[in-house]
Amino acid sequence: MNISKIAIIGCGNLGLSIANGLIDNPTFDNSDLIATRRNLEPIQELKSHGVQITSDNNKAVQEANVIILSVKPYNVLNVCKEIKGSVQKGNIVVSTVTGISIDQIQEALGSDISVLRVMPNTAADVNESVTCIADKGASNEDYQAVADIFNAIGNTIRISEDLMEAATVLGACGIAYVLRFMRAMVQGGIQIGFDAKTATAIVNQTVKGASQLLIQNGMHPEYEIDKVTTPKGCTIVGINEMEHNGFSSSLIKGIVASYEAIEK
Ligand SMILES: NC(=O)c1ccc[n+]([C@@H]2O[C@H](COP(=O)([O-])OP(=O)(O)OC[C@H]3O[C@@H](n4cnc5c(N)ncnc54)[C@H](OP(=O)(O)O)[C@@H]3O)[C@@H](O)[C@H]2O)c1
């Protein structure tokens, strides 16, 4: 399908990250984007990039052929009711909303509307999101149109819908886990002598480097860990001390706790 316009309904934290990723992106024109929320003040800046902003969801939907729903789970079905009359057959509705199924959205909008679920993360802002995409019998053309949007702001992985909550935890909550880990490294760095700015610069690049080692070399983390753990050296002493204090265990327990919180 030829994407003429993309409407982001609910341009909050995630919606704005998606919009920022799409701005000045070679794949789309800024004028292809329309962003909505009730209070437009926090997204005024989008206007200076040629992005349309409005509080009128129906107007945005009528102008777009891909409609990204990015409101909170407790709002989404009301928003679907509000825009139902404006969504046309042939439009693609893309939901970022945690815990609301494709069936529920189709029930609200009509079973003839193509609905896909996506789980991006806020690294969309810097074109580094991983976006899991699930569909329920969408056409290849519709799937590809959605993948094209999210590949423009990172990369995409096709998953089945029953893994969508797990994708929320690993990919979307994952940003917060990693950032908290980085914050702790900075705090450690300050305790051993660096000022906060220098510690942050070292940690930021170290985390980027570690992830690039895995992404570019395709190796298992432990393979790279073995390279820096000299027998009797300071790295293995530090890692073992972290593990004695429950490092891996606490991360795994946190991931499972987040998952259970969604499932409730
Ligand atoms: N944050 C993440 O990292 C992340 C990642 C993956 C998925 N998600 C999912 O994405 C969705 C949005 O999350 P978020 O963190 O971006 O939440 P958020 O910051 O609260 O954004 C939601 C936005 O929706 C707007 N809104 C509420 N009612 C509206 C309406 N009737 N019409 C138009 N806009 C409306 C709100 O602005 P106004 O009050 O001004 O209208 C708000 O800016 C959630 O369902 C979440 O599960 C989030």
Side-chain angles (χ1 to χ4, degrees), residues 198-262:
T198 311
T200 302
I202 294 171
V203 169
N204 288 355
Q205 184 60 31
T206 301
V207 170
K208 185 178 174 194
S211 80
Q212 284 302 321
L213 276 175
L214 301 188
I215 291 168
Q216 289 184 29
N217 296 348
M219 302 308 288
H220 189 282
E222 213 54 38
Y223 172 82
E224 296 295 341
I225 290 173
D226 281 348
K227 286 194 202 166
V228 289
T229 45
T230 309
K232 286 190 167 180
C234 62
T235 313
I236 192 65
V237 168
I239 283 189
N240 284 347
E241 183 63 21
M242 290 174 199
E243 291 299 353
H244 292 318
N245 285 288
F247 183 67
S248 295
S249 169
S250 122
L251 261 176
I252 294 163
K253 280 184 174 171
I255 287 169
V256 174
S258 289
Y259 183 73
E260 287 172 354
I262 299 179

Short mmCIF file of all heavy atoms in Angstrom, two decimals, residues 198-262:
data_model
loop_
_atom_site.label_atom_id
_atom_site.label_comp_id
_atom_site.label_asym_id
_atom_site.label_seq_id
_atom_site.Cartn_x
_atom_site.Cartn_y
_atom_site.Cartn_z
N THR A 198 31.94 12.78 33.65
CA THR A 198 32.91 11.86 33.05
C THR A 198 32.43 10.42 33.20
O THR A 198 32.51 9.62 32.26
CB THR A 198 34.30 12.04 33.70
OG1 THR A 198 34.61 13.43 33.73
CG2 THR A 198 35.38 11.28 32.96
N ALA A 199 31.91 10.09 34.39
CA ALA A 199 31.41 8.71 34.61
C ALA A 199 30.31 8.41 33.60
O ALA A 199 30.29 7.32 33.00
CB ALA A 199 30.88 8.57 36.04
N THR A 200 29.42 9.37 33.36
CA THR A 200 28.31 9.15 32.42
C THR A 200 28.84 8.94 31.01
O THR A 200 28.38 8.04 30.28
CB THR A 200 27.33 10.36 32.45
OG1 THR A 200 26.87 10.52 33.78
CG2 THR A 200 26.14 10.16 31.53
N ALA A 201 29.82 9.74 30.62
CA ALA A 201 30.40 9.59 29.26
C ALA A 201 31.02 8.20 29.10
O ALA A 201 30.86 7.55 28.05
CB ALA A 201 31.43 10.68 29.01
N ILE A 202 31.72 7.73 30.13
CA ILE A 202 32.36 6.40 30.04
C ILE A 202 31.29 5.31 29.98
O ILE A 202 31.34 4.39 29.15
CB ILE A 202 33.31 6.17 31.25
CG1 ILE A 202 34.49 7.15 31.17
CG2 ILE A 202 33.81 4.73 31.28
CD1 ILE A 202 35.38 7.17 32.42
N VAL A 203 30.29 5.43 30.84
CA VAL A 203 29.24 4.38 30.90
C VAL A 203 28.44 4.36 29.59
O VAL A 203 28.19 3.28 29.02
CB VAL A 203 28.31 4.60 32.12
CG1 VAL A 203 27.09 3.71 32.05
CG2 VAL A 203 29.09 4.36 33.41
N ASN A 204 28.04 5.53 29.11
CA ASN A 204 27.23 5.56 27.88
C ASN A 204 27.93 4.84 26.73
O ASN A 204 27.35 4.02 26.03
CB ASN A 204 26.94 7.01 27.44
CG ASN A 204 25.96 7.70 28.36
OD1 ASN A 204 25.41 7.09 29.26
ND2 ASN A 204 25.74 8.98 28.14
N GLN A 205 29.22 5.17 26.55
CA GLN A 205 29.93 4.58 25.42
C GLN A 205 30.22 3.09 25.67
O GLN A 205 30.22 2.29 24.74
CB GLN A 205 31.22 5.36 25.14
CG GLN A 205 31.99 4.88 23.92
CD GLN A 205 31.21 4.96 22.60
OE1 GLN A 205 30.36 5.84 22.42
NE2 GLN A 205 31.47 4.02 21.69
N THR A 206 30.45 2.73 26.94
CA THR A 206 30.73 1.32 27.25
C THR A 206 29.50 0.46 26.95
O THR A 206 29.62 -0.63 26.36
CB THR A 206 31.14 1.17 28.74
OG1 THR A 206 32.30 1.98 28.94
CG2 THR A 206 31.45 -0.27 29.10
N VAL A 207 28.31 0.96 27.31
CA VAL A 207 27.09 0.20 27.05
C VAL A 207 26.83 0.12 25.55
O VAL A 207 26.48 -0.94 25.01
CB VAL A 207 25.89 0.82 27.80
CG1 VAL A 207 24.58 0.19 27.38
CG2 VAL A 207 26.09 0.65 29.31
N LYS A 208 27.05 1.24 24.85
CA LYS A 208 26.88 1.23 23.39
C LYS A 208 27.86 0.22 22.77
O LYS A 208 27.49 -0.59 21.91
CB LYS A 208 27.13 2.63 22.83
CG LYS A 208 26.88 2.75 21.36
CD LYS A 208 27.09 4.18 20.89
CE LYS A 208 26.98 4.24 19.38
NZ LYS A 208 27.51 5.50 18.85
N GLY A 209 29.12 0.25 23.23
CA GLY A 209 30.14 -0.67 22.69
C GLY A 209 29.78 -2.11 22.96
O GLY A 209 29.90 -2.97 22.08
N ALA A 210 29.32 -2.41 24.19
CA ALA A 210 28.98 -3.79 24.55
C ALA A 210 27.84 -4.29 23.65
O ALA A 210 27.89 -5.41 23.13
CB ALA A 210 28.58 -3.87 26.02
N SER A 211 26.83 -3.44 23.43
CA SER A 211 25.72 -3.92 22.62
C SER A 211 26.14 -4.04 21.16
O SER A 211 25.74 -4.97 20.46
CB SER A 211 24.45 -3.06 22.81
OG SER A 211 24.54 -1.90 22.08
N GLN A 212 27.01 -3.16 20.69
CA GLN A 212 27.49 -3.27 19.30
C GLN A 212 28.32 -4.54 19.10
O GLN A 212 28.30 -5.15 18.03
CB GLN A 212 28.30 -2.04 18.89
CG GLN A 212 27.45 -0.83 18.59
CD GLN A 212 26.42 -1.07 17.48
OE1 GLN A 212 26.69 -1.73 16.50
NE2 GLN A 212 25.23 -0.54 17.67
N LEU A 213 29.08 -4.96 20.15
CA LEU A 213 29.84 -6.21 20.04
C LEU A 213 28.91 -7.38 19.74
O LEU A 213 29.20 -8.25 18.93
CB LEU A 213 30.58 -6.50 21.35
CG LEU A 213 31.93 -5.82 21.55
CD1 LEU A 213 32.46 -6.11 22.96
CD2 LEU A 213 32.93 -6.29 20.51
N LEU A 214 27.75 -7.39 20.43
CA LEU A 214 26.80 -8.48 20.21
C LEU A 214 26.07 -8.32 18.88
O LEU A 214 25.89 -9.29 18.14
CB LEU A 214 25.78 -8.55 21.35
CG LEU A 214 26.36 -8.74 22.75
CD1 LEU A 214 25.24 -8.99 23.75
CD2 LEU A 214 27.35 -9.90 22.80
N ILE A 215 25.67 -7.08 18.57
CA ILE A 215 24.88 -6.85 17.34
C ILE A 215 25.76 -7.12 16.11
O ILE A 215 25.36 -7.83 15.19
CB ILE A 215 24.32 -5.42 17.32
CG1 ILE A 215 23.23 -5.27 18.40
CG2 ILE A 215 23.76 -5.05 15.95
CD1 ILE A 215 22.80 -3.84 18.68
N GLN A 216 26.97 -6.56 16.12
CA GLN A 216 27.80 -6.67 14.91
C GLN A 216 28.49 -8.03 14.80
O GLN A 216 28.64 -8.55 13.70
CB GLN A 216 28.84 -5.56 14.88
CG GLN A 216 28.20 -4.21 14.62
CD GLN A 216 29.24 -3.09 14.49
OE1 GLN A 216 30.36 -3.33 14.07
NE2 GLN A 216 28.84 -1.89 14.85
N ASN A 217 28.90 -8.61 15.93
CA ASN A 217 29.63 -9.88 15.85
C ASN A 217 28.71 -11.08 16.00
O ASN A 217 29.10 -12.21 15.74
CB ASN A 217 30.73 -9.96 16.91
CG ASN A 217 31.80 -8.91 16.69
OD1 ASN A 217 31.84 -8.28 15.63
ND2 ASN A 217 32.67 -8.70 17.67
N GLY A 218 27.48 -10.84 16.46
CA GLY A 218 26.50 -11.92 16.59
C GLY A 218 26.91 -12.98 17.60
O GLY A 218 26.53 -14.14 17.48
N MET A 219 27.71 -12.60 18.62
CA MET A 219 28.20 -13.59 19.58
C MET A 219 27.31 -13.64 20.83
O MET A 219 26.54 -12.74 21.10
CB MET A 219 29.63 -13.25 20.01
CG MET A 219 30.63 -13.17 18.87
SD MET A 219 30.65 -14.62 17.80
CE MET A 219 31.44 -15.79 18.89
N HIS A 220 27.47 -14.70 21.60
CA HIS A 220 26.79 -14.83 22.89
C HIS A 220 27.48 -13.89 23.90
O HIS A 220 28.71 -13.77 23.87
CB HIS A 220 26.90 -16.29 23.36
CG HIS A 220 26.06 -16.60 24.54
ND1 HIS A 220 26.42 -16.25 25.82
CD2 HIS A 220 24.85 -17.20 24.64
CE1 HIS A 220 25.47 -16.63 26.66
NE2 HIS A 220 24.51 -17.21 25.97
N PRO A 221 26.72 -13.26 24.79
CA PRO A 221 27.37 -12.35 25.76
C PRO A 221 28.51 -13.00 26.53
O PRO A 221 29.55 -12.38 26.76
CB PRO A 221 26.22 -11.98 26.73
CG PRO A 221 24.97 -12.22 25.97
CD PRO A 221 25.26 -13.28 24.94
N GLU A 222 28.35 -14.26 26.88
CA GLU A 222 29.38 -14.90 27.72
C GLU A 222 30.72 -15.02 26.97
O GLU A 222 31.78 -14.99 27.59
CB GLU A 222 28.88 -16.28 28.20
CG GLU A 222 29.37 -16.68 29.57
CD GLU A 222 29.09 -15.66 30.68
OE1 GLU A 222 28.02 -15.03 30.69
OE2 GLU A 222 29.96 -15.50 31.56
N TYR A 223 30.64 -15.14 25.64
CA TYR A 223 31.87 -15.22 24.84
C TYR A 223 32.68 -13.92 25.00
O TYR A 223 33.90 -13.96 25.18
CB TYR A 223 31.49 -15.45 23.37
CG TYR A 223 32.64 -15.36 22.40
CD1 TYR A 223 33.48 -16.45 22.20
CD2 TYR A 223 32.87 -14.18 21.68
CE1 TYR A 223 34.55 -16.36 21.30
CE2 TYR A 223 33.93 -14.09 20.79
CZ TYR A 223 34.77 -15.18 20.60
OH TYR A 223 35.81 -15.09 19.71
N GLU A 224 31.97 -12.80 24.96
CA GLU A 224 32.65 -11.51 25.12
C GLU A 224 33.09 -11.30 26.57
O GLU A 224 34.13 -10.71 26.84
CB GLU A 224 31.73 -10.36 24.66
CG GLU A 224 31.38 -10.39 23.17
CD GLU A 224 32.58 -10.19 22.24
OE1 GLU A 224 33.63 -9.68 22.69
OE2 GLU A 224 32.47 -10.57 21.05
N ILE A 225 32.29 -11.82 27.52
CA ILE A 225 32.66 -11.69 28.94
C ILE A 225 33.96 -12.47 29.21
O ILE A 225 34.87 -11.98 29.89
CB ILE A 225 31.51 -12.18 29.86
CG1 ILE A 225 30.34 -11.20 29.79
CG2 ILE A 225 31.99 -12.35 31.31
CD1 ILE A 225 29.07 -11.65 30.50
N ASP A 226 34.06 -13.67 28.63
CA ASP A 226 35.28 -14.48 28.83
C ASP A 226 36.54 -13.73 28.40
O ASP A 226 37.60 -13.89 28.99
CB ASP A 226 35.19 -15.80 28.03
CG ASP A 226 34.32 -16.83 28.73
OD1 ASP A 226 33.98 -16.62 29.92
OD2 ASP A 226 33.96 -17.85 28.09
N LYS A 227 36.39 -12.86 27.39
CA LYS A 227 37.56 -12.13 26.88
C LYS A 227 38.08 -11.10 27.88
O LYS A 227 39.22 -10.67 27.79
CB LYS A 227 37.18 -11.39 25.59
CG LYS A 227 37.02 -12.26 24.39
CD LYS A 227 37.01 -11.32 23.18
CE LYS A 227 36.34 -11.91 21.99
NZ LYS A 227 36.04 -10.89 20.97
N VAL A 228 37.19 -10.63 28.79
CA VAL A 228 37.65 -9.58 29.70
C VAL A 228 37.81 -10.07 31.14
O VAL A 228 38.12 -9.29 32.04
CB VAL A 228 36.71 -8.32 29.66
CG1 VAL A 228 36.87 -7.57 28.36
CG2 VAL A 228 35.26 -8.69 29.88
N THR A 229 37.59 -11.36 31.34
CA THR A 229 37.74 -11.88 32.70
C THR A 229 39.06 -12.66 32.82
O THR A 229 39.10 -13.88 32.63
CB THR A 229 36.53 -12.78 33.09
OG1 THR A 229 36.25 -13.65 32.00
CG2 THR A 229 35.31 -11.97 33.42
N THR A 230 40.13 -11.95 33.12
CA THR A 230 41.44 -12.57 33.36
C THR A 230 41.33 -13.43 34.63
O THR A 230 40.73 -12.98 35.62
CB THR A 230 42.49 -11.45 33.62
OG1 THR A 230 42.38 -10.51 32.57
CG2 THR A 230 43.90 -12.00 33.72
N PRO A 231 41.91 -14.65 34.61
CA PRO A 231 41.88 -15.45 35.85
C PRO A 231 42.44 -14.66 37.04
O PRO A 231 43.48 -14.02 36.93
CB PRO A 231 42.75 -16.66 35.49
CG PRO A 231 42.62 -16.78 34.00
CD PRO A 231 42.51 -15.38 33.49
N LYS A 232 41.73 -14.69 38.11
CA LYS A 232 42.07 -13.97 39.35
C LYS A 232 42.01 -12.45 39.20
O LYS A 232 42.47 -11.71 40.08
CB LYS A 232 43.46 -14.39 39.88
CG LYS A 232 43.49 -15.75 40.52
CD LYS A 232 44.81 -15.96 41.22
CE LYS A 232 44.75 -17.16 42.13
NZ LYS A 232 46.00 -17.39 42.83
N GLY A 233 41.52 -11.96 38.02
CA GLY A 233 41.55 -10.52 37.76
C GLY A 233 40.38 -9.78 38.40
O GLY A 233 39.47 -10.38 38.98
N CYS A 234 40.42 -8.46 38.24
CA CYS A 234 39.42 -7.62 38.92
C CYS A 234 38.02 -7.77 38.32
O CYS A 234 37.01 -7.62 39.01
CB CYS A 234 39.85 -6.16 38.91
SG CYS A 234 39.99 -5.46 37.25
N THR A 235 37.90 -8.10 37.01
CA THR A 235 36.57 -8.19 36.39
C THR A 235 35.78 -9.36 36.96
O THR A 235 34.61 -9.21 37.35
CB THR A 235 36.67 -8.34 34.85
OG1 THR A 235 37.59 -7.39 34.36
CG2 THR A 235 35.33 -8.14 34.19
N ILE A 236 36.45 -10.53 37.02
CA ILE A 236 35.72 -11.71 37.51
C ILE A 236 35.37 -11.54 39.00
O ILE A 236 34.30 -11.96 39.45
CB ILE A 236 36.50 -13.03 37.24
CG1 ILE A 236 35.60 -14.24 37.48
CG2 ILE A 236 37.76 -13.15 38.06
CD1 ILE A 236 34.43 -14.37 36.55
N VAL A 237 36.26 -10.88 39.73
CA VAL A 237 35.98 -10.64 41.16
C VAL A 237 34.72 -9.77 41.27
O VAL A 237 33.81 -10.05 42.05
CB VAL A 237 37.19 -9.97 41.85
CG1 VAL A 237 36.81 -9.45 43.23
CG2 VAL A 237 38.35 -10.94 41.96
N GLY A 238 34.67 -8.74 40.45
CA GLY A 238 33.51 -7.83 40.49
C GLY A 238 32.23 -8.53 40.05
O GLY A 238 31.19 -8.41 40.69
N ILE A 239 32.31 -9.27 38.94
CA ILE A 239 31.09 -9.95 38.43
C ILE A 239 30.59 -10.97 39.44
O ILE A 239 29.39 -11.06 39.72
CB ILE A 239 31.39 -10.64 37.07
CG1 ILE A 239 31.43 -9.60 35.97
CG2 ILE A 239 30.33 -11.68 36.75
CD1 ILE A 239 31.50 -10.18 34.57
N ASN A 240 31.52 -11.74 40.01
CA ASN A 240 31.07 -12.75 40.98
C ASN A 240 30.44 -12.10 42.21
O ASN A 240 29.44 -12.59 42.74
CB ASN A 240 32.24 -13.68 41.37
CG ASN A 240 32.54 -14.68 40.26
OD1 ASN A 240 31.74 -14.84 39.33
ND2 ASN A 240 33.69 -15.34 40.34
N GLU A 241 31.01 -10.99 42.63
CA GLU A 241 30.42 -10.27 43.78
C GLU A 241 28.99 -9.81 43.44
O GLU A 241 28.07 -9.93 44.24
CB GLU A 241 31.31 -9.06 44.14
CG GLU A 241 30.87 -8.27 45.35
CD GLU A 241 30.88 -9.06 46.67
OE1 GLU A 241 31.58 -10.08 46.77
OE2 GLU A 241 30.13 -8.64 47.58
N MET A 242 28.82 -9.30 42.21
CA MET A 242 27.47 -8.89 41.77
C MET A 242 26.52 -10.09 41.78
O MET A 242 25.37 -9.99 42.23
CB MET A 242 27.51 -8.28 40.35
CG MET A 242 28.19 -6.94 40.28
SD MET A 242 28.34 -6.42 38.54
CE MET A 242 29.63 -5.18 38.67
N GLU A 243 27.00 -11.21 41.27
CA GLU A 243 26.13 -12.41 41.23
C GLU A 243 25.81 -12.91 42.63
O GLU A 243 24.69 -13.33 42.90
CB GLU A 243 26.78 -13.52 40.39
CG GLU A 243 26.86 -13.22 38.90
CD GLU A 243 25.50 -13.02 38.21
OE1 GLU A 243 24.44 -13.24 38.83
OE2 GLU A 243 25.51 -12.59 37.04
N HIS A 244 26.79 -12.86 43.56
CA HIS A 244 26.50 -13.27 44.94
C HIS A 244 25.37 -12.42 45.51
O HIS A 244 24.61 -12.86 46.36
CB HIS A 244 27.74 -13.14 45.84
CG HIS A 244 28.83 -14.11 45.49
ND1 HIS A 244 28.60 -15.43 45.17
CD2 HIS A 244 30.19 -13.95 45.41
CE1 HIS A 244 29.75 -16.03 44.88
NE2 HIS A 244 30.73 -15.16 45.03
N ASN A 245 25.30 -11.17 45.03
CA ASN A 245 24.25 -10.26 45.51
C ASN A 245 22.99 -10.31 44.65
O ASN A 245 22.12 -9.45 44.78
CB ASN A 245 24.80 -8.83 45.59
CG ASN A 245 25.72 -8.67 46.78
OD1 ASN A 245 25.27 -8.64 47.91
ND2 ASN A 245 27.02 -8.61 46.52
N GLY A 246 22.93 -11.28 43.77
CA GLY A 246 21.67 -11.53 43.06
C GLY A 246 21.48 -10.75 41.77
O GLY A 246 20.34 -10.53 41.34
N PHE A 247 22.59 -10.37 41.09
CA PHE A 247 22.50 -9.54 39.88
C PHE A 247 21.59 -10.16 38.81
O PHE A 247 20.52 -9.61 38.50
CB PHE A 247 23.90 -9.29 39.34
CG PHE A 247 23.98 -8.39 38.15
CD1 PHE A 247 23.65 -7.05 38.25
CD2 PHE A 247 24.39 -8.87 36.92
CE1 PHE A 247 23.73 -6.21 37.15
CE2 PHE A 247 24.48 -8.05 35.81
CZ PHE A 247 24.15 -6.71 35.93
N SER A 248 21.98 -11.31 38.26
CA SER A 248 21.16 -11.92 37.20
C SER A 248 19.80 -12.31 37.73
O SER A 248 18.76 -12.10 37.07
CB SER A 248 21.85 -13.17 36.63
OG SER A 248 23.04 -12.82 35.98
N SER A 249 19.79 -12.86 38.93
CA SER A 249 18.53 -13.32 39.52
C SER A 249 17.56 -12.15 39.69
O SER A 249 16.36 -12.26 39.39
CB SER A 249 18.84 -13.99 40.86
OG SER A 249 17.67 -14.20 41.55
N SER A 250 18.09 -11.01 40.14
CA SER A 250 17.19 -9.88 40.37
C SER A 250 16.63 -9.34 39.05
O SER A 250 15.46 -8.96 38.96
CB SER A 250 17.93 -8.82 41.20
OG SER A 250 18.00 -7.62 40.56
N LEU A 251 17.45 -9.36 37.99
CA LEU A 251 16.95 -8.92 36.68
C LEU A 251 15.85 -9.85 36.17
O LEU A 251 14.79 -9.39 35.71
CB LEU A 251 18.09 -8.94 35.68
CG LEU A 251 18.78 -7.63 35.39
CD1 LEU A 251 19.95 -7.83 34.45
CD2 LEU A 251 17.79 -6.64 34.76
N ILE A 252 16.11 -11.15 36.29
CA ILE A 252 15.12 -12.12 35.79
C ILE A 252 13.82 -12.00 36.60
O ILE A 252 12.72 -11.98 36.04
CB ILE A 252 15.69 -13.56 35.86
CG1 ILE A 252 16.87 -13.69 34.89
CG2 ILE A 252 14.61 -14.60 35.53
CD1 ILE A 252 17.77 -14.89 35.12
N LYS A 253 13.98 -11.85 37.93
CA LYS A 253 12.77 -11.71 38.77
C LYS A 253 12.01 -10.44 38.41
O LYS A 253 10.78 -10.41 38.40
CB LYS A 253 13.15 -11.66 40.25
CG LYS A 253 13.43 -13.02 40.86
CD LYS A 253 13.69 -12.84 42.34
CE LYS A 253 13.84 -14.16 43.05
NZ LYS A 253 14.30 -13.97 44.42
N GLY A 254 12.73 -9.36 38.11
CA GLY A 254 12.09 -8.10 37.73
C GLY A 254 11.33 -8.25 36.42
O GLY A 254 10.19 -7.76 36.28
N ILE A 255 11.92 -8.94 35.46
CA ILE A 255 11.27 -9.15 34.16
C ILE A 255 9.98 -9.95 34.35
O ILE A 255 8.91 -9.60 33.83
CB ILE A 255 12.24 -9.87 33.18
CG1 ILE A 255 13.32 -8.87 32.74
CG2 ILE A 255 11.51 -10.46 31.98
CD1 ILE A 255 14.49 -9.48 31.99
N VAL A 256 10.07 -11.00 35.17
CA VAL A 256 8.88 -11.83 35.41
C VAL A 256 7.82 -11.03 36.17
O VAL A 256 6.62 -11.11 35.87
CB VAL A 256 9.27 -13.13 36.15
CG1 VAL A 256 8.03 -13.94 36.54
CG2 VAL A 256 10.20 -13.98 35.27
N ALA A 257 8.26 -10.19 37.15
CA ALA A 257 7.30 -9.38 37.91
C ALA A 257 6.58 -8.39 36.98
O ALA A 257 5.35 -8.20 37.08
CB ALA A 257 8.00 -8.62 39.03
N SER A 258 7.31 -7.76 36.06
CA SER A 258 6.67 -6.85 35.10
C SER A 258 5.64 -7.60 34.26
O SER A 258 4.53 -7.13 34.03
CB SER A 258 7.70 -6.24 34.15
OG SER A 258 8.52 -5.32 34.81
N TYR A 259 6.04 -8.78 33.82
CA TYR A 259 5.14 -9.60 32.98
C TYR A 259 3.87 -9.94 33.74
O TYR A 259 2.76 -9.80 33.22
CB TYR A 259 5.89 -10.86 32.53
CG TYR A 259 5.10 -11.73 31.60
CD1 TYR A 259 4.89 -11.34 30.27
CD2 TYR A 259 4.56 -12.94 32.02
CE1 TYR A 259 4.16 -12.13 29.41
CE2 TYR A 259 3.83 -13.73 31.16
CZ TYR A 259 3.63 -13.33 29.85
OH TYR A 259 2.90 -14.11 28.98
N GLU A 260 4.05 -10.35 35.00
CA GLU A 260 2.87 -10.71 35.79
C GLU A 260 1.97 -9.50 36.05
O GLU A 260 0.76 -9.61 36.13
CB GLU A 260 3.30 -11.37 37.11
CG GLU A 260 3.83 -12.77 36.86
CD GLU A 260 4.47 -13.42 38.10
OE1 GLU A 260 4.61 -12.73 39.13
OE2 GLU A 260 4.82 -14.60 37.99
N ALA A 261 2.60 -8.30 36.15
CA ALA A 261 1.81 -7.09 36.38
C ALA A 261 0.92 -6.79 35.17
O ALA A 261 -0.20 -6.29 35.32
CB ALA A 261 2.73 -5.91 36.67
N ILE A 262 1.40 -7.10 33.96
CA ILE A 262 0.56 -6.88 32.76
C ILE A 262 -0.55 -7.92 32.71
O ILE A 262 -1.69 -7.62 32.35
CB ILE A 262 1.38 -7.02 31.46
CG1 ILE A 262 2.49 -6.00 31.40
CG2 ILE A 262 0.47 -6.89 30.24
CD1 ILE A 262 3.34 -6.12 30.13
#
